[in-house]
Each structure stands twice: as C-alpha cells, then as structure tokens.
Amino acid sequence: MIVKDSEKKSHISRGLVLLMATVCGFTVANVYLNQTLLVSMSTSFHVSAASIGIIATLAQIGYALGNLLIVPLGDIFERKKMILFLLFAICIVLALNALSINKTWMMVTSLALGIVTVVPQIIVPLAANIASDHNRGKVLGNVAIGLVCGILGARLASGFIDVHFGWRMVYWTSAVATLFMILLVYIYFPKSKGGNATSYKHLLMSLGPLFIKERALQKACVSQGMMFASFSTFWTTLVFLLHTHPYSYGSDMVGVIGLVGIAGAFATPIIGRLIDIKGAKFASLLCMSVSLLAFIGLIRGGYWLPRLILGALLITIGTQANQVACQFTIFQLGEEKRSRLNGLYMVSTFLGGSLGSYVGLLAWSKWQWNGVCAIAILMIAISCCSLIPMNIPKKMIGNFMNKKGSNM
C-alpha cells in the first residue's frame, strides 16, 4: 500500500529511524572516501598532492548537482523506488572508481559518484514527513547520526583499508556494502509518494522562484553552506597536516581522528531536542559558536595531537548539529515541497563543501595550517551574519517614502 505524505502520519519506529540513519551513513560516506586517499592516489597516478585535490572537490560538486537535479523528484515519484535505483547506480560507479587508470578517469567517476550519492537527501524528507510535528526535530537529529557517522567513518575505514590493501579496495568494499543496503531498503523501507502532480521540467523551473520566495531557505543555505565549507576545509587539509612535522603519520591516522569525531554525531539528537524546545535560531547560534571556538584554538593547538582531536570533535558537533537546525527550519515551510526545499538547501551546503575543499588546499599550499584556520574562521563569520535580520520593515519603507515625497 502506498501512503501519501499528505495523509495522516503514522508513528515512526525506532528500528526504522535506525535503518534510515544506517543507509544515510553508508551512502553519504562515498562522497568522502577519497579525502584520506588523496596522497595514495597522487602516488598511483604520478601527480602532485595539490593537483589530486580536485577529485575531492568534484565529488562534492557532483553531490550538489545531484541535489539540484535528482532530489526534487521526491516530490513527484515514489521515494523507495528512487532510493533503490540510486543505490544500484552507486554500485556501478563505485566499481568504475576502483578501476580508474589515471587522474582524468578518477575525476569523471568521482563527479558521477557525487551525483548519484544523494540517497540521504531523499531519506531525510521522508523521515520528516513520517514524523509528527512534536518530535520532528528529534527524528531528524537521530537520522543525522547516520550522516555524521558516515562522513567521519568513511575516513576511518578508507584510511585503514588504504594502508593495508590499497585505495582501490576501498571502493570495492563500499560497493559490496551498498548491495547489502539495497536488500535492507527493499525489505523494510515504507513506500511513500509525493503529492506534487507535475512534470520534471516544471518541477525544476519552480526551484528558482521557490528560492527567491523563501527568505528562511536563503538564510539556511548561507548558514550551512559556510559552516560546511569550514568543515571541509579542516578535513581535506588534515591529511596533509598529519603527513608533516611534527606528526609524520599515515592516512590511517586521519581515520582515527575521524573516529573521535564520530562521538560528535551523538550531539545531533540533543540539538534536535533543543530545537523542539528553544527553537532553531538559538541552536544555530550555539553550533556556530562551538565551531568558531574550535578553529581559534587550532591556530596554535593544531600541532598538538590532543588539541587537534578536541578540535575535530567540536567542529563536527557544530557543523552537523547546525545542519539539523537549518533543515528543521526549512521543513516548516511546507510538507508538499520538502524534497525541493531540501534539494536546494543541500546544493548550497555541498557547494560550500567543494569551496571549502578547494580554498582549504589553496590556503595550505600558500600559508600552511594557520592559513587554513584563518579561512575557516572567516567562513564561520559569514555563516553567523546570515542570521542577522536583513528585512527592512514595510512601515519604515513607507515612512521613508512619505518623508521623501514631502521634501520634493
């Protein structure tokens, strides 16, 4: 039986939330697998470390494109079938990544992998629709645990596999895991259908006016886009920091620090409950403050491992909890357009992520770690500015126009 999203919501079980979080984690991890593999890939393809960084950027650009072109379809088509189709596509592209013979091949397949790895952004609106109004923040927070674990767990798993079996085995392992996810989704995911009976062309054409109309969406896009840019700046350059003095570690150490960062995932349900009580704006300000303090501390503390680990934890908490706060805000704008809202929101988020990867590598090549931290602090400052009220009250405009007219 297909249940329309507009009909009465059913209770979402803990088991289903756990499964949604797990599928989100395993799929979103594919965007981040390459970040700990860049040094190994540069050696394999005989290119410079700075040059190979484009692969991480293209994966995130692809993810942004997938959110723009694929995620809005959740407002039209049955989401379970969409998820299954995309998971099959992910398996194919992962195999192509593993078979890459040069940098150009890897660039193309990384872009393609990013495009099809948008399954989490179809699951999140599905979870929001099933959840009731009084516990939506909590449900989104719990699903976000899977996203954070996937992002950071990818670094742990890929770093370990790379050191012991080579970077190509990372992609083969992920392909096998995705096949298992297909089976779980087919058996346990509920069917759901968007209530928008329109063509794909009109759906895409509605994205621009929707973005212009919804001021809350614009603020959320800037807020999380810049927060995620600072997050990507940190994690993309971390592998290079750990390869230099005083560390001289391998790529597996990035995964170990990522494992510590996973502890930050369990802050997202707390933020979800805080949103239900205090509101999303309060939660966002708290998250930004946490990340800002972390980067300030890392300017000098980045060369001391305990402080570096603490910084990774705080940056993860701040970034991922802010994502929950921003998604809660935009999902209040209307149930029938949640896939489009989430698609636009995630486009900006991962464009920010790709910007962070690129600028972070540029900052590292010119100014090393201090430059990376300075760029990240600037990004968080821009994110904070997005919460400043920018609307001029209509009454003020009217008074100004009347005063101007009386002086003429």
Side-chain angles (χ1 to χ4, degrees), residues 64 220-222 224-226 343-353:
C221 288
V222 174
Q224 185 61 10
M226 288 295 98
L344 287 168
Y345 168 73
M346 294 309 299
V347 166
S348 67
T349 297
F350 278 86
L351 284 177

Side-chain angles (χ1 to χ4, degrees), residues 214-363:
E214 301 292 356
R215 184 59 61 88
L217 174 62
Q218 296 169 17
K219 290 183 177 181
C221 288
V222 174
S223 174
Q224 185 61 10
M226 288 295 98
M227 285 289 285
F228 201 66
S230 66
F231 179 87
S232 292
T233 296
F234 175 81
W235 287 105
T236 303
T237 57
L238 181 62
V239 64
F240 297 104
L241 174 66
L242 292 175
H243 272 79
T244 59
H245 179 78
Y247 295 116
S248 300
Y249 290 126
S251 57
D252 54 340
M253 182 50 110
V254 181
V256 172
I257 295 177
L259 180 62
V260 176
I262 288 177
F266 295 93
T268 53
I270 298 173
I271 289 293
R273 296 186 187 97
L274 185 64
I275 292 168
D276 290 331
I277 299 170
K278 290 283 191 178
K281 185 174 182 180
F282 175 84
S284 285
L285 286 171
L286 180 61
C287 297
M288 292 172 189
S289 300
V290 169
S291 288
L292 184 62
L293 290 173
F295 276 110
I296 291 173
L298 284 172
I299 292 176
R300 289 188 175 274
Y303 293 97
W304 187 41
L305 189 59
R307 285 190 182 180
L308 184 63
I309 292 172
L310 177 61
L313 175 63
L314 294 178
I315 291 165
T316 302
I317 290 174
T319 304
Q320 300 305 322
N322 188 67
Q323 176 165 313
V324 175
C326 290
Q327 282 181 317
F328 179 90
T329 299
I330 65 172
F331 287 159
Q332 301 301 102
L333 300 176
E335 181 178 314
E336 75 286 350
K337 52 189 176 183
R338 279 182 180 147
S339 287
R340 283 172 291 164
L341 290 167
N342 196 53
L344 287 168
Y345 168 73
M346 294 309 299
V347 166
S348 67
T349 297
F350 278 86
L351 284 177
S354 62
L355 174 67
S357 295
Y358 177 78
V359 175
L361 288 169
L362 189 64

Side-chain angles (χ1 to χ4, degrees), residues 175-246:
V176 173
T178 303
L179 287 173
F180 185 59
M181 291 299 107
I182 290 172
L183 179 63
L184 292 177
V185 169
Y186 179 78
I187 295 173
Y188 295 109
F189 261 42
K191 291 185 177 181
S192 180
K193 187 176 182 180
N196 226 318
T198 185
S199 66
Y200 180 56
K201 178 181 177 180
H202 287 108
L203 188 75
L204 292 182
M205 289 178 65
S206 71
L207 295 177
L210 181 62
F211 182 79
I212 294 171
K213 176 185 175 183
E214 301 292 356
R215 184 59 61 88
L217 174 62
Q218 296 169 17
K219 290 183 177 181
C221 288
V222 174
S223 174
Q224 185 61 10
M226 288 295 98
M227 285 289 285
F228 201 66
S230 66
F231 179 87
S232 292
T233 296
F234 175 81
W235 287 105
T236 303
T237 57
L238 181 62
V239 64
F240 297 104
L241 174 66
L242 292 175
H243 272 79
T244 59
H245 179 78

Side-chain angles (χ1 to χ4, degrees), residues 22-274:
T22 302
V23 177
C24 285
F26 271 95
T27 50
V28 78
N30 293 312
V31 182
Y32 300 93
L33 292 175
N34 55 48
Q35 290 186 353
T36 53
L37 308 177
L38 295 177
V39 173
S40 297
M41 287 180 183
S42 65
T43 302
S44 180
F45 297 143
H46 307 291
V47 296
S48 67
S51 171
I52 203 67
I54 189 64
I55 289 175
T57 301
L58 285 172
Q60 293 185 341
I61 290 175
Y63 197 81
L65 286 173
N67 274 279
L68 180 66
L69 301 175
I70 297 175
V71 170
L73 291 172
D75 286 337
I76 301 178
F77 297 117
E78 200 274 298
R79 290 187 175 108
K80 181 176 179 179
K81 287 183 179 178
M82 283 186 64
I83 292 168
L84 289 170
F85 175 81
L86 288 171
L87 288 173
F88 276 114
I90 289 169
C91 285
I92 295 171
V93 180
L94 282 169
L96 292 174
N97 273 263
L99 295 170
S100 295
I101 58 174
N102 53 44
K103 176 186 167 186
T104 302
W105 182 321
M106 196 69 193
M107 288 170 60
V108 173
T109 54
S110 293
L111 179 68
L113 185 61
I115 291 173
V116 296
T117 310
V118 292
V119 169
Q121 306 317 321
I122 298 171
I123 292 176
V124 170
L126 175 61
N129 285 350
I130 299 174
S132 60
D133 293 336
H134 74 275
N135 73 341
R136 184 168 293 120
K138 179 181 177 182
V139 169
L140 291 175
N142 286 328
V143 173
I145 291 178
L147 287 168
V148 183
C149 290
I151 292 171
L152 298 177
R155 297 180 177 93
L156 174 65
S158 62
F160 177 83
I161 296 172
D162 176 36
V163 168
H164 293 89
F165 305 102
W167 65 266
R168 296 181 190 277
M169 183 58 66
V170 173
Y171 289 100
W172 289 121
T173 303
S174 184
V176 173
T178 303
L179 287 173
F180 185 59
M181 291 299 107
I182 290 172
L183 179 63
L184 292 177
V185 169
Y186 179 78
I187 295 173
Y188 295 109
F189 261 42
K191 291 185 177 181
S192 180
K193 187 176 182 180
N196 226 318
T198 185
S199 66
Y200 180 56
K201 178 181 177 180
H202 287 108
L203 188 75
L204 292 182
M205 289 178 65
S206 71
L207 295 177
L210 181 62
F211 182 79
I212 294 171
K213 176 185 175 183
E214 301 292 356
R215 184 59 61 88
L217 174 62
Q218 296 169 17
K219 290 183 177 181
C221 288
V222 174
S223 174
Q224 185 61 10
M226 288 295 98
M227 285 289 285
F228 201 66
S230 66
F231 179 87
S232 292
T233 296
F234 175 81
W235 287 105
T236 303
T237 57
L238 181 62
V239 64
F240 297 104
L241 174 66
L242 292 175
H243 272 79
T244 59
H245 179 78
Y247 295 116
S248 300
Y249 290 126
S251 57
D252 54 340
M253 182 50 110
V254 181
V256 172
I257 295 177
L259 180 62
V260 176
I262 288 177
F266 295 93
T268 53
I270 298 173
I271 289 293
R273 296 186 187 97
L274 185 64

